Structure formats: C-alpha cells, structure tokens
Amino acid sequence: FSAYGSGLRKQILWDCCNRLASTRDALVLDGSGQERRDWIHASDVARLLVLVGGALPSPEVPVVNGGTGQGHTVAEFTQLALAAWGVQRPVSFSGMSRPGDPVNLVADVARARALGFAPQVALGQGIQAYVDWFRLAAGH
C-alpha cells in the first residue's frame, strides 16, 4: 500500500519536506485531503516480506496485502508531517486528483495478521524519523 521511510525521494512526504525546507508559504497539495491511505513504514514492509517468504513457500504465490489495516486521510498525514517539522502552516488542497487515484485505499490485512504480522512503527514515529533523515540529508 502506501510505503514510506527514510531514503525515499518521492511521494507526499518527500514533497512536503521539500516545500517546508524551501518556503514559509502555505502548502498547497493535490486532491481534496480527504483521500484515505494505509501508510506503512518501509521497515514493516521488510519484516512482512521476510515473514511471508518464510511462511508461504508455495507455487500458488498467495497474495498478502502489505499495510496496517488503518486508513488516515492525506490531511491527517500532512498535519503529522508539519508537527514533525515543528511548524504550523496553512495547508490547502487543489481539488485536482490524478485520473485513477482511489478515494480510499486501505489494506485488508487478514492474511498478514494470520501469519502473525503486526506493524511496529507508528505513523507519527515513522514520519518523525523521515523528517529527521530529510533534514540530515538536505543539511537543514
């Protein structure tokens, strides 16, 4: 689903950090802000891949959704990024979405849970780690 983590140089968190680093203006993002996504930290994705690889060796190649099973709006996600950056800025949304982008994209994690998977990185914690990485990498 929506994987994020230190080192990733694309997607919304990368865009937010770049804008926060380069301007004090309001953030204007695409969409409505009410799009709901299931963000999962890259370290949790890696743990799930190892778990699935060891537990499900099969010629059928079963599908296991990599997510948390919890959705957060883009507006909520953005507010967590602002808090991690340590600023308050107005945020607005253009209302323009890319064709084909779903409004809600939250994983059914029943198979992952049946394998014993539970995400370990809380969203706020992961965003803070990303912001810390970004600032170090960008010299901010």
Side-chain angles (χ1 to χ4, degrees), residues 40-63:
I40 183 168
H41 194 270
S43 64
D44 284 329
V45 172
R47 286 182 38 258
L48 179 58
L49 287 171
V50 169
L51 184 64
V52 168
L56 294 175
S58 167
E60 289 88 35
V61 188
V63 173

Side-chain angles (χ1 to χ4, degrees), residues 99-126:
D101 274 356
V103 174
N104 291 300
L105 188 59
V106 180
D108 174 351
V109 294
R111 250 191 197 158
R113 283 189 184 137
L115 293 172
F117 176 74
Q120 294 186 355
V121 180
L123 186 58
Q125 174 190 8

Side-chain angles (χ1 to χ4, degrees), residues 24 32 39 102 134:
R24 296 195 184 282
S32 69
W39 279 281
F134 180 93

Side-chain angles (χ1 to χ4, degrees), residues 24-134:
R24 296 195 184 282
D25 296 336
L27 293 179
V28 179
L29 303 172
D30 288 338
S32 69
Q34 295 309 302
E35 298 84 2
R36 189 168 294 280
R37 298 290 179 263
D38 187 341
W39 279 281
I40 183 168
H41 194 270
S43 64
D44 284 329
V45 172
R47 286 182 38 258
L48 179 58
L49 287 171
V50 169
L51 184 64
V52 168
L56 294 175
S58 167
E60 289 88 35
V61 188
V63 173
V64 178
N65 288 329
T68 65
Q70 297 179 353
H72 298 275
T73 67
V74 171
E76 292 167 341
F77 188 84
T78 304
Q79 288 304 313
L80 289 170
L82 288 169
W85 196 270
V87 297
Q88 292 183 349
R89 298 255 179 96
V91 178
S92 63
F93 295 89
S94 69
M96 303 292 293
S97 296
R98 293 181 306 194
D101 274 356
V103 174
N104 291 300
L105 188 59
V106 180
D108 174 351
V109 294
R111 250 191 197 158
R113 283 189 184 137
L115 293 172
F117 176 74
Q120 294 186 355
V121 180
L123 186 58
Q125 174 190 8
I127 291 172
Q128 184 65 62
Y130 186 94
V131 167
D132 293 345
W133 164 80
F134 180 93

Side-chain angles (χ1 to χ4, degrees), residues 3-22 27 29 39 77 81 85 127 130-131 133-135 137-138 140:
Y4 72 98
S6 301
L8 183 64
R9 296 174 186 264
K10 63 179 192 170
Q11 297 180 335
I12 189 170
L13 199 47
W14 172 255
D15 291 342
C16 283
C17 287
N18 271 304
R19 291 176 190 180
L20 289 168
S22 65
L27 293 179
L29 303 172
W39 279 281
F77 188 84
W85 196 270
I127 291 172
Y130 186 94
V131 167
W133 164 80
F134 180 93
R135 284 183 150 159
H140 290 280

